[in-house]
Amino acid sequence: MTGSTGSPGTTARSSVPAVRVPRRRGTELALIVLAVLLSVYGYCDVGLAKNGNVPPGAAGYGAGLGVLALLAHVAVRFRAPYADPLLLPIAVLLNGLGLVLIYRLDLETPSDEAAPTQLIWSTLGVGLFIAFVVFLRDHRVLQRYAYLSVVAALILMILPIFFPAVNGARIWIRIGNFSIQPGEFAKILLAIFFATYLAANRNALTYTGKKFWKLQLPTMRVFAPILAIWLISVGVLVLETDLGTSLLFFGLFIVMLYVATGRGSWIAIGLVLAAAGAFVVASFEPHVHSRVEDWLHPFASIDAGDGPGQLAQSLFAFAAGGMLGTGLGLGHSILIGFAAKSDFILATAGEELGLVGLTAIFLLYALLVERGYRAGLALRDPFGRLLSIGLASIVALQVFVIAGGVMGLIPLTGMAMPFLAQGGSSLVTNWIIVAILVRVSDRARGSLLPEGAPEAVT
Amino acid sequence: MTKYIRRASAFCLILLVALLVNAARVQVFQAGSLDDNSANRRSTIQRYDQPRGNILVNGKPITGSKDSGQALRYERTYKNGPLYSPVTGYASQTYGTTFVESAEDDILAGTDPMLSPIPFWNEISRTQEPGGHVGTTVNAAAQQAAYAGLGGKKGAVAAIDPSTGKILALVSTPSYDPGDIAGTGSATTDAWARLNASSDQPMLNRAIRQTYPPGSTFKVVTAAAVLENDVVNGISTPTDTPSPYTLPGTTTVLRNESASAACEDATLEYALQVSCNTVFANLGVKVGLADMVKTSENFGFNDSGVRVPMTAARSNFDTDMNQSQLALSSIGQFNTAATPLQMAMVAAAVANGGTLMSPYLVDRTTTSDGTTVSTTGSRTYKQAMSPYTATQLQQMMVNVVEKGTGTNARISGATVGGKTGTAQNGVNNEGVPYAWFISYAQADDASQPQVAVAVVVEDAAADRADISGGGSAAPIARAVMEAVLNSAEH
């Protein structure tokens, strides 16, 4: 680990700290500048490719993104000086790239501009990021609100049932022109609850219960909450016909449960339950059933003479990108039609940036997840560890579910590509996730300091 | 807990690898078949995203492109569509491409790798070159003369430069404007339906895609076979032919059109001059099936691979016939059938001293700024006959124009050789006969013949005796030849 060249035991007693944990705020700043420049370059490139000139808003766009990123950086510099220097630049770059892609698609749909709204949501997201970094001085505070969190999460998930379905999924609350997806915020609340619950009941879950063949079964008392979560997931799936969120909640819980207990039996039980639930729902729920059919036969509608469906169009877009992509602004991913800017935003990246660009994006996500896991490894309190693993896993699972869906790897489920996709709720949620990860990583790296060092002031 | 965190991170790594492998599957390994999927509109959109290159006649574009403002942006336009449609064909966003538009599509659409200054540059940069241009061999004056000559009648004209094989005119009437079907939408589909439903078949390229019984014009081929095989002793020696002539093995009597012509035992030259059926039927049988087939194939018959660059229909001379059928085939009837282009090739072979050049329409292709991409050189198709036989045939064909049935084709200041034809048509020959004329011309101050032409008029509304090709077809041929000779002067 960084800086642990000397023995912590000896350095703690010396008056001059021999262990120096670099803050790396300069690195962060340089990477943020790079991220902003890359985004502005992309923005200009789109304009040059489509209209032959630099978009008139390029300076304002660059300044706006730059100011937001700098404010976030300043907040981190003063309030979380030991935070992982990669988290914020990755978030800025993905957010900036998302704005570029949405702006690029806006040019194809002049009557329906999404980029300005997305920029407002970005501002709100960064604002919340700063608020969390500034006011959440210690992540352990969140444990106090565990039960409040789970109640709030349940309310948020249940609310959309009372609102009309949008394109087959009941996941929206729409008031006038303003719509939010409360399920997005529920993800963080559930992760906080899971982390608290599992940190508290770790030992009970691990060591009690009967042994059945090689599997150590948990007692009913600790099993009940888990069953409840499973039922919630299936409930979300059936009532809101939202396969993606259901899959995400369930996957998140399984991962956190495994990390907390280390019992393979949980994984086995989870997979059996998930498979059973998925099979039943896929068989009987028409919306989900059709998604599975589309996945198995993406070109069936073409053979039937109805033209290509969304998934087929998405696959065409990725294929058109090939290795190097067509270049920003030069693809035709708008043929996907509905949800090209949200669920299918990755297809635009795949077509215009190619396999190379797509790989870079996947690696950015992987790096974000890895930094979250790294923070989890470095922390000492079980809650913090589980929380950072949980939040990082949300990002990993979400990327997998939606990217796998639009590329035909798994059945397609409506879900937002973190930071890239159009959609305010998702964007704001992801900024909060990164804020908490920044806080946790600051704690993780800062705690390497010897006791009494000035940096450890809280 | 650390161990389990590491295992969970390994799980995330598996998810990442799965995504990357799947991305490579879609974007690299299956990309080709996805790109080629008929429902994928990308190639169509890209194809019409830039103006199409032009087809040129005498260096001037006869085509254009207009920005339709639609998803498929540029539509093909034609400056004089009906005149040039047998050359250009159409380039339609709905119905694809034909003829030169089809044969040179890669150049015109800008996808030909030869258009790019650096090999494979477009594959790497994913850019498309602007559409290149296609220069044709067509002589605008000859094309216009042929089109004007046919007027409203059904028919076709093909004209060739005998010494090179350059196609100077390719006309088919009634014609249509390919611009009417260039776009998308109901106007296009309506026009398409109307053109296809028309009994006039305006989209049929009669000059290269329709075969007609060549009638008496085929006697030039029979004469070549006779001379090549020494069936007669020169063109001025009387042939041993009764008139009327009874077809071998039958009681069917073959007569001549003109009762006044002295076809009995006529010489080969006189027989061609007045178009004696009896003489050529008799001599064709004497040549024999094998040698008649060989000679006709030397002129291009039975070849389904004549490309100019679009494929011409196969002209037919049966290879398995009895003697009476051979007799009829030798005067261009029975199953003998030829495209106007084929008969122009017959005249061209005679004019060029027996050497038949491959006919071609595309002279050269260039990039959008005029840099040459490729040029087409003249190629010999076959040595159709010996130069001596060709000289004898030239003499006979000139005789036809000066003294015989082809006097309507005479041009002052030039030597013209020709042959008329009237092909019977329909069940029991009740249809209106087709009038044919094939000819070549050489200006007196020129070193070699400059043009060979074949004209067919389907609905020659005149009585049989008048038609004989000389009445309706010969003046058209003369106008085309004059146009070529005049344009050669300046």
Side-chain angles (χ1 to χ4, degrees):
Chain A
M1 253 171 245
T2 324
S4 59
T5 43
S7 156
T10 53
T11 53
R13 280 192 296 274
S14 65
S15 53
V16 181
V19 180
R20 225 181 128 255
V21 177
R23 298 182 177 188
R24 303 216 185 278
R25 296 275 66 82
T27 310
E28 182 184 79
L29 182 61
L31 288 172
I32 285 173
V33 169
L34 187 65
V36 172
L37 288 179
L38 271 172
S39 303
V40 173
Y41 170 76
Y43 190 74
C44 296
D45 192 31
V46 167
L48 285 169
K50 288 295 285 181
N51 303 325
N53 52 30
V54 174
Y61 168 85
L65 193 67
V67 166
L68 283 179
L70 279 179
L71 286 174
H73 168 73
V74 168
V76 171
R77 181 174 280 265
F78 284 104
R79 290 298 195 172
Y82 291 97
D84 193 306
L86 284 181
L87 290 167
L88 184 58
I90 291 173
V92 170
L93 181 53
L94 287 171
N95 196 156
L97 184 60
L99 284 165
V100 168
L101 294 175
I102 292 166
Y103 167 74
R104 179 260 168 280
L105 289 169
D106 277 351
L107 296 178
E108 309 285 343
T109 58
S111 59
D112 175 26
E113 289 201 343
T117 319
Q118 187 77 354
L119 192 56
I120 293 170
W121 281 111
S122 305
T123 311
L124 187 62
V126 174
L128 282 170
F129 171 90
I130 293 168
F132 266 80
V133 170
V134 170
F135 296 112
L136 181 69
R137 304 304 307 274
D138 187 337
H139 64 273
R140 285 169 295 194
V141 171
L142 294 171
Q143 287 182 98
R144 292 181 208 154
Y145 306 107
Y147 286 92
L148 189 64
S149 292
V150 76
V151 170
L154 285 175
I155 291 171
L156 285 172
M157 284 195 293
I158 290 165
L159 262 181
I161 295 173
F162 304 108
F163 287 81
V166 177
N167 305 300
R170 268 178 213 283
I171 53 175
W172 298 87
I173 297 178
R174 193 175 285 262
I175 302 158
N177 287 329
F178 193 75
S179 58
I180 59 170
Q181 264 178 295
E184 291 286 342
F185 304 110
K187 290 187 299 198
I188 300 178
L189 297 172
L190 277 182
I192 292 170
F193 169 70
F194 287 160
T196 311
Y197 172 80
L198 292 171
N201 299 297
R202 208 148 65 88
N203 293 333
L205 288 165
T206 313
Y207 299 114
T208 56
K210 289 173 185 159
K211 192 153 184 167
F212 174 73
W213 191 42
K214 281 187 177 176
L215 295 176
Q216 174 109 35
L217 293 179
T219 61
M220 206 54 215
R221 188 179 66 83
V222 288
F223 187 67
I226 294 153
L227 198 65
I229 293 299
W230 179 75
L231 284 172
I232 289 169
S233 301
V234 176
V236 166
L237 183 58
V238 174
L239 294 174
E240 306 186 358
T241 58
D242 185 358
L243 186 63
T245 307
S246 166
L247 210 63
L248 178 64
F249 286 165
F250 197 68
L252 170 67
F253 188 61
I254 293 290
V255 168
M256 292 180 73
L257 195 56
Y258 175 74
V259 169
T261 65
R263 310 299 307 198
S265 57
W266 290 113
I267 306 288
I269 293 166
L271 288 179
V272 168
L273 287 176
F279 179 79
V280 170
V281 173
S283 306
F284 296 109
E285 214 292 311
H287 178 72
V288 176
H289 180 73
S290 72
R291 289 290 174 86
V292 174
E293 283 297 310
D294 285 349
W295 170 59
L296 292 173
H297 312 287
F299 304 116
S301 64
I302 297 170
D303 299 333
D306 298 333
Q310 269 188 309
L311 182 57
Q313 288 285 20
S314 174
L315 292 175
F316 290 162
F318 282 106
M323 188 62 84
L324 296 174
T326 60
L328 277 171
L330 300 174
H332 300 284
S333 54
I334 198 68
L335 290 170
I336 293 167
F338 168 73
K341 297 174 195 171
S342 49
D343 293 0
F344 287 94
I345 190 85
L346 200 64
T348 301
E351 176 163 9
E352 305 198 343
L353 303 176
L355 180 60
V356 172
L358 197 61
T359 303
I361 291 172
F362 283 151
L363 290 179
L364 282 176
Y365 284 119
L367 209 52
L368 188 61
V369 173
E370 188 261 348
R371 301 321 282 197
Y373 268 73
R374 173 162 297 207
L377 278 171
L379 274 173
R380 287 166 197 171
D381 69 299
F383 169 75
R385 301 189 107 182
L386 285 167
L387 183 62
S388 51
I389 299 303
L391 294 175
S393 300
I394 286 174
V395 175
L397 288 168
Q398 192 158 346
V399 168
F400 179 77
V401 166
I402 184 61
V406 297
M407 301 190 78
L409 181 61
I410 57 173
L412 178 64
T413 59
M415 194 170 261
M417 201 72 199
F419 289 108
L420 285 188
Q422 174 196 7
S425 315
S426 167
L427 190 59
V428 167
T429 305
N430 285 306
W431 271 114
I432 295 173
I433 288 176
V434 171
I436 299 177
L437 287 178
V438 161
R439 168 53 60 218
V440 171
S441 69
D442 175 57
R443 170 66 56 175
R445 295 179 77 236
S447 65
L448 294 171
L449 291 169
E451 294 294 325
E455 287 83 359
V457 169
T458 49
Chain B
M1 207 188 269
T2 303
K3 186 169 75 177
Y4 309 132
I5 294 176
R6 291 194 191 283
R7 282 187 189 163
S9 67
F11 169 68
C12 292
L13 192 63
I14 290 170
L15 295 186
L16 173 69
V17 170
L19 284 180
L20 290 176
V21 169
N22 185 57
R25 172 184 73 95
V26 175
Q27 298 203 269
V28 179
F29 297 108
Q30 293 182 358
S33 69
L34 288 165
D35 286 343
D36 294 341
N37 191 302
S38 60
N40 192 342
R41 295 187 73 214
R42 277 177 181 70
S43 56
T44 317
I45 290 171
Q46 185 179 14
R47 174 188 170 83
Y48 297 111
D49 203 37
Q50 62 179 12
R52 189 171 170 80
N54 284 320
I55 298 173
L56 314 177
V57 167
N58 296 135
K60 294 192 193 82
I62 56 168
T63 56
S65 281
K66 71 172 179 201
D67 188 347
S68 69
Q70 309 287 313
L72 304 182
R73 201 166 154 200
Y74 285 97
E75 266 179 38
R76 186 53 130 185
T77 58
Y78 296 87
K79 293 203 162 66
N80 198 338
L83 174 63
Y84 288 109
S85 68
V87 175
T88 58
Y90 55 76
S92 167
Q93 294 177 349
T94 311
Y95 300 106
T97 55
T98 55
F99 302 163
V100 169
E101 293 275 30
S102 174
E104 299 296 340
D105 188 57
D106 288 350
I107 292 283
L108 294 165
T111 54
D112 193 312
M114 294 296 288
L115 288 172
S116 96
I118 304 164
F120 305 114
W121 172 246
N122 292 339
E123 276 74 17
I124 297 162
S125 68
R126 293 297 200 99
T127 54
Q128 196 172 359
E129 292 294 321
H133 302 309
V134 173
T136 65
T137 57
V138 172
N139 178 317
Q143 182 85 1
Q144 277 154 5
Y147 190 78
L150 284 166
K153 297 189 212 89
K154 264 192 210 175
V157 173
I160 304 176
D161 179 344
S163 61
T164 58
K166 287 181 180 178
I167 294 177
L168 302 172
L170 205 61
V171 172
S172 172
T173 55
S175 191
Y176 72 107
D177 188 346
D180 291 348
I181 53 168
T184 54
S186 61
T188 299
T189 50
D190 289 350
W192 176 264
R194 174 173 52 75
L195 291 170
N196 278 292
S198 168
S199 58
D200 284 342
Q201 292 179 276
M203 289 169 71
L204 173 63
N205 188 346
R206 293 173 169 81
I208 60 165
R209 290 284 170 91
Q210 177 74 323
T211 60
Y212 300 89
S216 300
T217 55
F218 191 77
K219 288 169 184 167
V220 174
V221 177
T222 305
V226 167
L227 293 170
E228 286 286 280
N229 293 289
D230 294 324
V231 173
V232 296
N233 186 17
I235 61 172
S236 307
T237 314
T239 57
D240 180 16
T241 309
S243 179
Y245 169 75
T246 307
L247 296 178
T250 70
T251 55
T252 310
V253 172
L254 184 68
R255 299 177 190 281
N256 291 305
E257 293 291 333
S258 168
S260 63
C263 284
E264 188 171 337
D265 296 335
T267 65
L268 196 59
E269 184 173 27
Y270 185 74
L272 197 73
Q273 178 185 322
V274 297
S275 201
C276 295
N277 289 338
T278 50
V279 172
F280 285 96
N282 179 33
L283 291 179
V285 172
K286 285 186 180 167
V287 170
L289 179 67
D291 284 328
M292 278 302 293
V293 168
K294 182 166 169 261
T295 300
S296 63
E297 289 183 352
N298 281 343
F299 280 97
F301 280 83
N302 296 345
D303 184 351
S304 52
V306 176
R307 290 192 177 81
V308 298
M310 54 273 202
T311 312
R314 176 182 179 275
S315 296
N316 183 64
F317 187 83
D318 271 6
T319 55
D320 184 14
M321 293 185 282
N322 63 33
Q323 297 225 312
S324 67
Q325 292 164 340
L326 177 60
L328 286 172
S329 294
S330 299
I331 58 169
Q333 296 287 344
F334 189 57
N335 286 338
T336 307
T339 60
L341 177 70
Q342 171 62 68
M343 293 318 292
M345 287 163 70
V346 169
V350 172
N352 196 41
T355 306
L356 176 56
M357 306 305 290
S358 287
Y360 65 97
L361 255 178
V362 173
D363 210 12
R364 73 182 192 128
T365 57
T366 70
T367 62
S368 62
D369 59 10
T371 309
T372 299
V373 173
S374 69
T375 53
T376 313
S378 293
R379 285 181 303 116
T380 301
Y381 176 77
K382 268 174 188 169
Q383 187 67 35
M385 63 199 125
S386 70
Y388 181 59
T389 301
T391 309
Q392 288 174 300
L393 275 175
Q394 284 172 11
Q395 186 184 330
M396 288 160 66
M397 286 175 74
V398 169
N399 187 52
V400 168
V401 172
E402 286 177 355
K403 298 181 198 158
T405 53
T407 50
N408 277 340
R410 278 189 288 212
I411 299 170
S412 65
T415 307
V416 179
K419 179 71 194 83
T420 57
T422 311
Q424 291 159 351
N425 172 34
V427 180
N428 295 329
N429 299 333
E430 282 165 358
V432 181
Y434 301 133
W436 275 96
F437 193 77
I438 65 171
S439 62
Y440 69 89
Q442 176 177 359
D444 291 344
D445 55 358
S447 59
Q448 57 191 0
Q450 294 122 300
V451 56
V453 61
V455 177
V456 65
V457 181
E458 283 187 35
D459 48 356
D463 72 272
R464 279 197 67 122
D466 264 5
I467 295 169
S468 58
S472 20
I476 301 171
R478 185 187 63 213
V480 173
M481 291 187 294
E482 279 179 333
V484 174
L485 298 182
N486 289 339
S487 54
E489 283 168 13
H490 37 75

